[in-house]
Each structure stands twice: as C-alpha cells, then as structure tokens.
Amino acid sequence: MAENAAEIVTRAELLEREIKLKEDYNGKLDTVNGKVDRLEEIILPWTQTLKGIEENTRRTADNYEKTNEKQDQILANYHNQNLRIEKLEGATTLKGERIKGKTAIIVASITALGAAGGLIGLFGERLAAAIFGG
C-alpha cells in the first residue's frame, strides 16, 4: 500500500471515515445543544429574578433619596425651632433679670426707708433738738 512513502486510501475508506467524522461531529453537536438547553432552563429563571432584584434596588435607592430629603427638611425645621426657643428663652431670662433687678431696687428702697424711719424713731428727738435747738 505504500508507494513513495505515501499511503493510498480507497474511496470506500474515505467515505467510511467521512461518515464516522460526521457521526462524531453530530454527537458532539447534540451534546452541546443539550447543554445549551439545560443552561437556558437554569439561566432564564435567574434572569427574571435578577430583573426583579434590579427593580427593587432601584426603588430602594429612590426611597432612600426621598427619606434623606425628608430627613434634611426635618433637621432644618428642628434647627430653626431650636433657634426660636433659644431666642425666647433669652428674652424670658432677660425679662426675669429685669424683674429681679427692679425687685431688688424696691426691696432696697423699702429697707432704706424702714431703716431711716427706725433711725428717726431712735434718734429723732435728739436730732431735732440738735438741728432746731431745743
């Protein structure tokens, strides 16, 4: 069969080998198709799940943004209210200090008048005699 170091193949052998290669190729192609079908069965449900997760994540992000905006508004209102309360407390404290000051002046005046009256009562006759001569 060997002629000039080349092997001679008959037409029947060539056809037989071609048929065997086609069968082998078709078998491998069927195996790949089966695996692709199984992948579709596995992946398609995951695709729907992932789409749902994506949508939920988007909604969560939107809600988070809205919550942050509302929280910022609440904190701004809280800050403004604290400023107003501090202003009112300051005014009340100032008013209280004024009342305390006025009360202290009145008490001191009454005490001074009482002390002067007491001194006049004790030393009045002697003082009158010394001043008016008597």
Side-chain angles (χ1 to χ4, degrees):
M1 282 203 177
E3 186 177 302
N4 293 335
E7 191 174 316
I8 298 175
V9 179
T10 64
R11 183 173 176 91
E13 290 175 337
L14 184 62
L15 289 174
E16 190 178 302
R17 182 161 260 204
E18 182 182 348
I19 290 171
K20 188 174 182 178
L21 285 173
K22 282 183 181 180
E23 287 174 355
D24 188 38
Y25 174 77
N26 286 335
K28 288 181 181 180
L29 189 61
D30 289 341
T31 302
V32 169
N33 284 338
K35 289 180 179 181
V36 168
D37 290 342
R38 285 190 52 226
L39 280 175
E40 285 178 355
E41 290 173 8
I42 294 170
I43 291 176
L44 286 179
W46 277 101
T47 304
Q48 294 301 319
T49 302
L50 291 175
K51 284 180 183 178
I53 291 172
E54 178 185 9
E55 179 63 29
N56 288 338
T57 303
R58 185 178 301 113
R59 276 190 269 152
T60 301
D62 291 343
N63 287 336
Y64 186 72
E65 274 186 47
K66 290 175 185 175
T67 301
N68 280 343
E69 289 172 5
K70 290 208 180 236
Q71 186 178 18
D72 290 343
Q73 290 173 352
I74 290 169
L75 289 175
N77 289 341
Y78 177 74
H79 178 70
N80 290 336
Q81 286 176 352
N82 279 342
L83 291 176
R84 281 186 252 147
I85 289 170
E86 288 175 9
K87 187 176 179 181
L88 288 173
E89 285 176 348
T92 303
T93 303
L94 182 61
K95 189 175 182 180
E97 293 296 323
R98 286 182 187 160
I99 290 172
K100 284 181 186 177
K102 289 178 183 178
T103 304
I105 291 171
I106 292 170
V107 168
S109 299
I110 292 172
T111 303
L113 290 175
L119 287 176
I120 291 174
L122 285 175
F123 302 108
E125 290 178 26
R126 288 186 215 159
L127 191 59
I131 294 176
F132 299 112

